[in-house]
Amino acid sequence: MNDSLQTKMIPEFAVLGHPNEGKSSVVSTLTEDDQITVSRIPGETTVSKRYTVQIDGEDIIRFVDTPGFQVPRQTLAWFKRFEGDPNQVCEQFIATFRKDPFFSDECELLGPVVRGAGIIYVVDGSRPVRDDDLAEMEILRLTGRPRMAIINSKTEGKDYTADWKSEFRKHFNAIRVFNSNTANFMDRIRMLESLKSIDQEWEPVLSRVILAFQRDWQKRNRLVTAFMTRSIEESLAFFVSEPIRTSSDQADIKEALTKKYQAHIKNLERQLFKQIRTLFKHNLFEVYLPEYSILKHDLFSKQTWELLGLTKEQLAATGAIIGGTMGAVIDTAAAGITFGVFTAIGGILGAGSALFSGKKIAKKKTAGIRFGGDKLQLGPNKNLQFLYILMDRALIYYSHIINRPHGRRDLQDPSKNTQNKKKGYSTELTARQRNVCARFFKAVNSRTFLKEKTALSDFEALIESVLNEISGT
Ligand SMILES: Nc1nc2c(ncn2[C@@H]2O[C@H](COP(=O)(O)OP(=O)(O)OP(=O)(O)O)[C@@H](O)[C@H]2O)c(=O)[nH]1
Ligand SMILES: [Mg+2]
């Protein structure tokens, strides 16, 4: 297939409108591209630029970001005076004014329309309809191209949606509310569904686009499942140990082990979060986390455990610990040494009485010198609750990422869609699902994956179903 033939089959939509209404944000959200410049200052976009959505290296759909209309009334006056072939009105307009600076933005924004793009007209529904807007709508009607209007309300509390809709009905084939700063995956799908209705000829190709988007989303969720399962498995199985010699300061060793253990687990979580962020194409900045987010708390803090929904009884059970009253018994080569209170461990680490354990290291001879003694080991964590904490934090992060539209550039004020969960997802699991988690936990802990054949696959299936539920797919 040659290039031009392939290009023709890829649907293309020009996003048009008044300056500063959110055109670039809409393109950014629709294409999941956070590199597109969005700015408070009107007139930011000065040239039309195509953004192509690719899935598995294949071009799927294009959106063209354009400059805003500058002189819509004068442009409309010319369109109305035009006496040639109505299908040629845009071409003739550009041919006439290509070199005229007065109409330079209008020539630029109509360029993609001449090339056959469908039209998505963006307005800010939080302001009233003005004469300039009516002129813009009339120009678009006169282009004769399939067109859809979308209402992207920038300011909450002010709503002129009804006025806009009644004007739109005269000029457009479809109308949709689509907010570039809150839209999630399903909103994007619904938007594409509406686009189908603006031109019957595009129906089959847009159906294919929607299918490609949905398959890609499923694939991402499967990847997140794999990343999450591996990360959790690694965290659960992780342990650190250090030999104890008579002269060693055991308190120092405990502290060093605790630091090492926590740093490793936190690092695994960071890596997982980065994988999720990359998969959902967020590059611009560390995704902002709302002040109240559980993820703001340290993985190893008491708040994390409380916020994720541990009951008082669970807290009491997991940690005598958290209060700092747990003692750990270490077997030593010589005699049983009882360590005192491990307050330094705190939080999760304290949870689970078997977290710290002592092991006798086989004495061995190296170059004639006898080494040996006892070993202090921290981890693997034997507390099932640890699995739920890791799982919940990853799911909350996932929910945050998928609900953050790429066109959104402010850092505060999390989107409405973000799940402002006070409790973790694990608190909503059914008894059967908890059983799946417990079997997975046990298989990791006792390294019996070979025997417990379905422990891993059942856990993965559970995670994937929760991801699908969170994303509404
Ligand atoms: N709160 C909110 N702000 C938005 C929304 N859409 C756009 N904005 C903001 O409005 C300003 C303009 O957005 P752009 O996407 O750059 O608008 P534009 O239509 O491309 O503007 P020009 O390129 O100048 O014509 C930016 O500060 C955006 O962050 C929205 O849905 N909600
Ligand atoms: Mg712009």
Side-chain angles (χ1 to χ4, degrees):
M1 193 185 294
N2 69 34
D3 262 351
S4 66
L5 202 58
Q6 199 171 17
T7 313
K8 269 192 196 142
M9 291 166 63
I10 298 161
E12 184 166 318
F13 295 91
V15 177
L16 306 178
H18 212 65
N20 214 36
E21 298 285 276
K23 300 179 295 299
S24 299
S25 316
V26 166
V27 175
S28 178
T29 292
L30 286 174
T31 55
E32 291 188 295
D33 184 342
D34 57 13
Q35 312 289 308
I36 299 174
T37 310
V38 166
S39 159
R40 283 171 203 283
I41 301 154
E44 177 62 39
T45 309
T46 53
V47 291
S48 292
K49 193 165 172 214
R50 289 158 133 193
Y51 294 92
T52 305
V53 178
Q54 283 197 330
I55 295 178
D56 294 332
E58 206 186 310
D59 293 354
I60 302 291
I61 188 169
R62 288 199 182 96
F63 295 96
V64 193
D65 191 16
T66 66
F69 283 96
Q70 291 296 337
V71 284
R73 276 180 272 183
Q74 292 85 338
T75 305
L76 177 61
W78 189 90
F79 267 59
K80 280 183 169 167
R81 283 199 308 273
F82 180 69
E83 286 177 345
D85 176 358
N87 292 323
Q88 296 287 311
V89 64
C90 286
E91 280 95 326
Q92 290 305 315
F93 177 83
I94 294 175
T96 310
F97 297 110
R98 192 191 312 272
K99 297 210 170 100
D100 185 343
F102 186 76
F103 288 110
S104 68
D105 285 310
E106 267 66 8
C107 287
E108 187 66 26
L109 71 92
L110 289 171
V113 178
V114 169
R115 288 197 302 271
I119 295 169
I120 296 176
Y121 181 63
V122 178
V123 300
D124 174 6
S126 57
R127 67 161 181 87
V129 186
R130 300 185 196 115
D131 284 350
D132 271 1
D133 305 311
L134 296 176
E136 290 167 12
M137 291 185 216
E138 187 59 11
I139 293 167
L140 297 183
R141 196 180 65 77
L142 291 172
T143 65
R145 296 296 302 160
R147 57 206 174 275
M148 169 172 174
I150 64 172
I151 301 170
N152 172 57
S153 293
K154 283 167 58 177
T155 317
E156 270 183 62
K158 293 185 195 158
D159 189 12
Y160 292 88
T161 308
D163 296 354
W164 282 106
K165 279 189 175 167
S166 74
E167 287 304 332
F168 283 165
R169 283 191 195 101
K170 302 174 207 158
H171 298 91
F172 293 91
N173 316 98
I175 305 167
R176 215 178 158 87
V177 171
F178 180 85
N179 192 296
S180 64
N181 277 30
T182 56
N184 61 18
F185 174 69
M186 286 312 288
D187 294 325
R188 283 191 279 130
I189 292 291
R190 283 189 280 267
M191 156 94 188
L192 291 171
E193 288 283 356
S194 299
L195 272 180
K196 274 195 215 168
S197 67
I198 72 175
D199 190 337
Q200 231 175 2
E201 276 180 26
W202 277 338
E203 256 186 59
V205 67
L206 282 171
S207 294
R208 281 200 296 278
V209 169
I210 291 169
L211 197 64
F213 270 63
Q214 286 167 331
R215 284 200 181 129
D216 181 53
W217 194 266
Q218 287 312 315
K219 191 172 151 192
R220 289 188 210 179
N221 276 357
R222 274 196 294 278
L223 277 168
V224 174
T225 301
F227 293 152
M228 239 188 227
T229 309
R230 182 182 308 169
S231 174
I232 293 176
E233 188 186 329
E234 228 177 301
S235 293
L236 294 178
F238 182 68
F239 66 89
V240 280
S241 65
E242 188 79 30
I244 317 167
R245 293 182 194 86
T246 1
S247 57
S248 307
D249 181 345
Q250 286 159 3
D252 283 353
I253 293 179
K254 275 183 282 170
E255 206 183 314
L257 285 180
T258 304
K259 273 197 186 134
K260 217 164 140 185
Y261 181 89
Q262 292 198 354
H264 187 81
I265 304 279
K266 283 188 206 173
N267 193 37
L268 285 174
E269 189 184 65
R270 256 195 307 276
Q271 280 172 19
L272 171 64
F273 287 4
K274 189 161 177 241
Q275 283 171 318
I276 296 174
R277 200 165 66 230
T278 308
L279 202 52
F280 290 91
K281 306 179 187 180
H282 279 287
N283 312 298
L284 255 194
F285 38 74
E286 277 279 328
V287 172
Y288 167 80
L289 295 171
E291 208 47 56
Y292 50 74
S293 171
I294 290 165
L295 299 182
K296 282 252 167 171
H297 295 291
D298 192 280
L299 170 59
F300 292 99
S301 76
K302 185 182 167 206
Q303 284 96 323
T304 296
W305 287 62
E306 284 176 343
L307 286 169
L308 288 174
L310 261 77
T311 62
K312 253 194 197 135
E313 292 72 31
Q314 283 169 324
L315 272 171
T318 52
I321 351 154
I322 290 164
T325 53
M326 184 191 72
V329 178
I330 310 292
D331 299 321
T332 72
I337 299 170
T338 306
F339 287 112
V341 184
F342 280 1
T343 38
I345 302 165
I348 274 175
L349 280 185
S353 55
L355 209 47
F356 259 112
S357 62
K359 281 219 179 83
K360 193 170 168 185
I361 302 171
K363 288 186 176 155
K364 57 182 179 190
K365 236 176 155 182
T366 311
I369 306 166
R370 271 185 181 279
F371 286 98
D374 306 306
K375 196 169 78 165
L376 188 59
Q377 179 171 320
L378 179 54
N381 197 313
K382 296 279 183 207
N383 191 322
L384 173 61
Q385 208 59 38
F386 189 45
L387 163 64
Y388 291 129
I389 299 283
L390 295 171
M391 201 171 122
D392 280 340
R393 284 173 60 97
L395 291 171
I396 289 168
Y397 188 79
Y398 167 85
S399 161
H400 194 77
I401 288 291
I402 63 157
N403 283 309
R404 165 121 206 153
H406 293 72
R408 180 180 182 138
R409 297 299 152 79
D410 60 324
L411 292 178
Q412 318 88 39
D413 197 23
S415 81
K416 272 187 252 139
N417 288 331
T418 299
Q419 293 219 246
N420 174 11
K421 287 183 81 72
K422 284 277 181 286
K423 292 197 170 200
Y425 292 91
S426 65
T427 55
E428 285 153 27
L429 296 178
T430 62
R432 200 196 67 80
Q433 291 172 323
R434 286 187 165 268
N435 188 19
V436 168
C437 293
R439 275 199 301 123
F440 172 73
F441 182 80
K442 193 163 156 254
V444 178
N445 236 292
S446 51
R447 297 166 196 275
T448 50
F449 270 128
L450 282 180
K451 217 170 78 202
E452 287 270 358
K453 285 198 175 63
T454 58
L456 179 66
S457 55
D458 285 355
F459 183 72
E460 284 181 330
L462 168 65
I463 294 285
E464 195 180 337
S465 73
V466 178
L467 297 178
N468 288 337
E469 200 177 312
I470 294 174
S471 54
T473 51

